[in-house]
Amino acid sequence: MANILHIDSSPRGERSISRALTYEFITSWKDSHSGDTVSYRDLGHHPVPHVDESWIAAAFTPPDAHTPELAEAIKLSDSLIDELLAADRYVFGIPMYNLNIPSTFKAYIDQIVRVGRTFAVDANGYKGLVDSSKKVLIITSRGGTFPPGTPFAAYDYQEPYLRGILGFIGLTDVTFIHADSLNLGDDARQQSLAAAKEAIAQAVANW
């Protein structure tokens, strides 16, 4: 049995491609892994706050020295990190906005990437504290396409950033499924969605 943390970050509802695809994966996964549990967080409709000055003060103050105000400022971050660490696998739905991730997901990243909780620093540099055996599946939706080896690849700041920041906290087993070309005409859109759904079916079988 595994606990999957499923996060959506699109502000759209029924019109969201990334939501539809993560839902398709989770529904199929639960059908074939009935013992697994899923924890769900909707950052698109219920965003977490951005880091502020009180949060920074709390994050860099030992917990036993926290005032009530600092304890309250870091409380949500602690809860989000506990939720992250309790999960065995992760499914994230992340649309591409302006070549990168939505601010809703960046705010979440800033809440969970914390020294002493999800990464450490020592004489050898940085060390991720999240179990590296845990798997991450990221399903994206993109208006364009950014194939490796083409001039367009240089504009993809989404996948490299997510690989980098997740690897920073220890999550290095990351799989991407891109629903791209969504704004490049009906044929390209339908071909990409079909390919994404096929990749989802393969992931349900092999992930």
Side-chain angles (χ1 to χ4, degrees):
M1 288 176 47
N3 175 28
I4 297 175
L5 177 58
H6 171 197
I7 295 179
D8 283 322
S9 58
S10 173
R12 287 180 165 183
E14 293 181 357
R15 296 175 60 229
S16 169
I17 298 298
S18 60
R19 283 180 185 274
L21 294 176
T22 61
Y23 177 80
E24 181 170 333
F25 174 85
I26 289 292
T27 300
S28 297
W29 183 270
K30 289 170 68 176
D31 286 344
S32 56
H33 301 79
S34 58
D36 289 0
T37 59
V38 177
S39 301
Y40 181 64
R41 184 167 292 277
D42 187 343
L43 297 175
H45 293 160
H46 304 284
V48 299
H50 291 282
V51 165
D52 59 15
E53 185 174 3
S54 296
W55 188 101
I56 295 170
F60 289 94
T61 300
D64 58 4
H66 280 174
T67 64
E69 291 76 16
L70 291 182
E72 182 62 27
I74 209 70
K75 181 179 179 180
L76 175 60
S77 175
D78 282 334
S79 177
L80 293 172
I81 291 171
D82 289 344
E83 179 182 68
L84 179 83
L85 297 177
D88 303 298
R89 297 187 178 209
Y90 310 93
V91 176
F92 300 149
I94 307 176
M96 175 181 273
Y97 284 3
N98 296 322
L99 309 178
N100 208 313
I101 62 176
S103 64
T104 52
F105 202 82
K106 181 58 167 64
Y108 173 77
I109 289 292
D110 291 341
Q111 290 282 353
I112 64 167
V113 177
R114 257 177 64 195
V115 65
R117 291 299 312 273
T118 54
F119 76 94
V121 187
D122 60 24
N124 297 316
Y126 297 109
K127 178 184 178 181
L129 299 179
V130 183
D131 185 349
S132 62
S133 68
K134 297 182 176 185
K135 296 184 177 183
V136 184
L137 175 65
I138 298 177
I139 300 176
T140 75
S141 55
R142 301 167 157 200
T145 184
F146 307 87
T150 72
F152 297 101
Y155 293 98
D156 180 4
Y157 298 99
Q158 183 190 46
E159 180 174 337
Y161 171 72
L162 288 168
R163 285 194 184 278
I165 196 63
L166 293 174
F168 183 76
I169 62 173
L171 294 170
T172 55
D173 189 343
V174 182
T175 299
F176 279 85
I177 296 175
H178 296 302
D180 58 15
S181 306
L182 299 179
N183 295 336
L184 300 181
D186 288 343
D187 288 346
R189 178 186 178 91
Q190 293 308 316
Q191 289 176 13
S192 179
L193 288 174
K197 291 183 178 184
E198 176 59 28
I200 286 172
Q202 292 294 324
V204 170
N206 301 314
W207 187 54

